[in-house]
Amino acid sequence: MAVHGWDALISIVAAIGRVQAVLYRKSASMLRYPATVLVALAVLVPAMHASQASAWTVHGTYGGTGDASVVDECSPRRYLVGVKVRVGAWMDQIQIICQLRGRFLSTSSPTPPRGGTGGGPVIVQCPTGTWVVGAHWYITEGRQILSLELTCANLVRGSERIVRVSGSGRSPGYNYSRANSCPLAEAGTGFTIRFGRHVNALGLVCDVRP
């Protein structure tokens, strides 16, 4: 699971301020007892970590079984902004693209490519200032990933854009598709991937929003 240390630190500092303000309003004399503040923090900090942990969402995979299964996630404080793929009739290979919060020109791929070497290379990436918050893909009758759409959102303005990649094969229909969305307070951080010579199944992974 991604760990958001900087966000947690900011939240802890804010919590300390709120606790001190409440104590001051109630009785200035209580500030003579630092233990009161420490007890309050002992309750707040674990609760905040528990809240962050519970926000992690791992959608189940949809597609074929493949030969292997991995959960590929961005490093801490980085979020999913796209994928590098190899595609022909269907998707042969996939690798996640991540971006550090606030560093719109800096991207990285912290995990290796998954799948085979067929097809040609394609990069599918969200517009600057947006992160992945949803994914929709179709599979072939042979259970390979045929196409992938990423929903990219500006988390401040709330606007959304769709970016996509598709193989040249034909889809059997809408019943051979799956859509995953991150909960309201989360953004994409990676995928669960099933693969072998091709990319066979995906499932979106989300965590606390930047």
Side-chain angles (χ1 to χ4, degrees):
M1 181 190 352
V3 178
H4 307 282
W6 181 248
D7 291 340
L9 178 61
I10 294 173
S11 300
I12 290 170
V13 172
I16 292 172
R18 289 195 294 271
V19 169
Q20 288 181 329
V22 170
L23 292 175
Y24 182 81
R25 287 196 300 269
K26 188 171 182 180
S27 174
S29 63
M30 290 185 68
L31 294 178
R32 299 171 188 165
Y33 303 96
T36 305
V37 176
L38 293 176
V39 169
L41 288 177
V43 174
L44 282 170
V45 173
M48 288 162 55
H49 283 289
S51 175
Q52 286 192 349
S54 65
W56 191 46
T57 301
V58 180
H59 292 281
T61 57
Y62 174 74
T65 56
D67 298 322
S69 178
V70 296
V71 179
D72 281 350
E73 278 198 273
C74 299
S75 304
R77 296 183 58 228
R78 288 167 171 80
Y79 295 85
L80 186 67
V81 293
V83 291
K84 299 176 183 177
V85 301
R86 296 188 67 88
V87 61
W90 47 73
M91 193 178 295
D92 294 281
Q93 185 183 97
I94 188 169
Q95 183 179 28
I96 64 173
I97 303 174
C98 305
Q99 191 171 74
L100 181 65
R101 176 183 176 182
R103 301 285 183 88
F104 297 133
L105 299 180
S106 175
T107 60
S108 63
S109 294
T111 57
R114 310 296 187 182
T117 57
V122 178
I123 296 177
V124 184
Q125 189 166 330
C126 292
T128 300
T130 64
W131 289 271
V132 173
V133 295
H136 183 199
W137 61 96
Y138 283 80
I139 64 172
T140 67
E141 288 184 306
R143 299 285 169 168
Q144 298 98 357
I145 301 297
L146 174 63
S147 63
L148 174 64
E149 293 183 353
L150 301 176
T151 301
C152 308
N154 183 303
L155 304 182
V156 176
R157 300 174 184 173
S159 57
E160 294 186 350
R161 291 277 299 277
I162 301 292
V163 295
R164 60 176 58 87
V165 60
S166 180
S168 60
R170 295 184 62 183
S171 168
Y174 192 80
N175 289 336
Y176 285 75
S177 73
R178 179 64 54 89
N180 291 163
S181 296
C182 293
L184 185 61
E186 297 179 30
T189 54
F191 281 105
T192 302
I193 305 168
R194 290 187 176 274
F195 64 96
R197 293 175 56 199
H198 314 114
V199 183
N200 299 100
L202 295 172
L204 186 62
V205 179
C206 309
D207 209 337
V208 178
R209 280 191 175 190

